[in-house]
Amino acid sequence: YAAVMLGYRHLGFLGGMSVPAVNRYGYGYVQGADAAAKELGITDEVQVEYVCGGQFYGDADITAYMDTWYGSKELAIPQSSNGADVVFVAAGPASVGVIEAAAESKKYCIGVDSDQSATIDDYKEDLTVTSAMKGLQVTIDNVLDAILDNEWDKYVGKIENLGMESPDPAENYVQLPEETTQ
């Protein structure tokens, strides 16, 4: 959502392995981009590339694949989607390939789990659009409070999808870093 609202129109998502947590990040990214495009009336202008690399480690193949998305150099392989502006990477150490390709092509990245701006911007300053962060502190605090208040039954044996719950960013289960988001 934030990427489209910030003006990006050609987006990418690279997941490490196709596991539930990574898929939820990817699906949420696509849903957010779609919601922002609808809100702005530009659904025909927003394009999303999506792939899971099948690994959580970086290598030359991941970097080369990202080069095709960013269109950063002449490649022997066809570039079916040349020109991605920003790629959201939820791939652990495989993110290095995305970051390297972004730095080379003067494009952008979205980090995952925590504020990744320091790591991403080590490759090139101002490379980070934002990071999709897990609000672990608020999650832990709420569950521990429930246990202390003898309300453990609210959580035991349940699977919940937690998200944006409050206008106060610190109270949300999904967060964006206010200081380092474009």
Side-chain angles (χ1 to χ4, degrees), residues 14-28:
L14 171 70
M17 297 183 76
S18 184
V19 296
V22 170
N23 292 336
R24 282 192 291 274
Y25 267 126
Y27 295 161

Side-chain angles (χ1 to χ4, degrees), residues 38 46 56 62 105 108 124 132-133 150 158 160-161 181:
K38 285 177 181 171
V46 176
F56 284 121
I62 294 289
S105 63
Y108 301 94
K124 183 176 177 293
M133 303 186 324
N150 292 316
K158 297 179 183 173
E160 291 187 66
N161 289 313
T181 294

Side-chain angles (χ1 to χ4, degrees), residues 95-160:
S95 64
V96 170
V98 175
I99 297 166
E100 289 173 346
E104 183 178 313
S105 63
K106 300 179 179 121
K107 301 291 177 98
Y108 301 94
C109 294
I110 295 174
V112 71
D113 293 335
S114 61
D115 184 356
Q116 295 290 306
S117 61
T119 301
I120 294 169
D121 289 348
D122 272 349
Y123 287 82
K124 183 176 177 293
E125 196 170 327
D126 298 324
L127 201 62
T128 308
V129 171
T130 192
S131 295
M133 303 186 324
K134 296 174 182 172
L136 297 178
Q137 188 65 53
V138 69
T139 305
I140 291 166
D141 289 347
N142 288 346
V143 171
L144 289 176
D145 286 346
I147 291 169
L148 291 172
D149 294 338
N150 292 316
E151 296 176 351
W152 177 238
D153 58 321
K154 290 167 75 173
Y155 296 100
V156 69
K158 297 179 183 173
I159 296 174
E160 291 187 66

